[in-house]
Amino acid sequence: MAITEINVRNQFRGKIKEIIEGSVVSEVDVETPHGIVTSVITTRSIKDLDLKVGSEVIALVKSTEVSIAKIQ
């Protein structure tokens, strides 16, 4: 499958560093050039996508809310 067009602007290419698998949902840590991006997805999706540590992926980040905290 190739992604040719998508409306999500925040895309981070990386490799899966760690998968913490749960019975229903799992955490997937993706190592990108900009740092680690963590996704919580269903365990079923991990199996359906055949995701494994070392798999090359694109983390797509879409949010309707962005919180900001001031650094002092």
Side-chain angles (χ1 to χ4, degrees), residues 1-2 6-7 11 15-16 20-23 27 31 38 45 47 51-52 54 56 59-61 63:
M1 177 181 94
I6 192 163
N7 69 341
Q11 302 178 25
K15 287 188 179 183
I16 295 179
I20 301 170
E21 194 168 308
S23 58
E27 291 180 38
E31 189 164 22
T38 301
S45 292
K47 293 180 187 338
L51 298 178
K52 298 182 181 353
E56 291 189 30
L60 306 167
V61 180
S63 176

Side-chain angles (χ1 to χ4, degrees), residues 15-43:
K15 287 188 179 183
I16 295 179
K17 181 178 182 177
E18 182 178 16
I19 298 173
I20 301 170
E21 194 168 308
S23 58
V24 177
V25 294
S26 299
E27 291 180 38
V28 180
D29 289 342
V30 178
E31 189 164 22
T32 76
H34 309 287
I36 301 290
V37 175
T38 301
S39 176
V40 177
I41 64 173
T42 64
T43 302

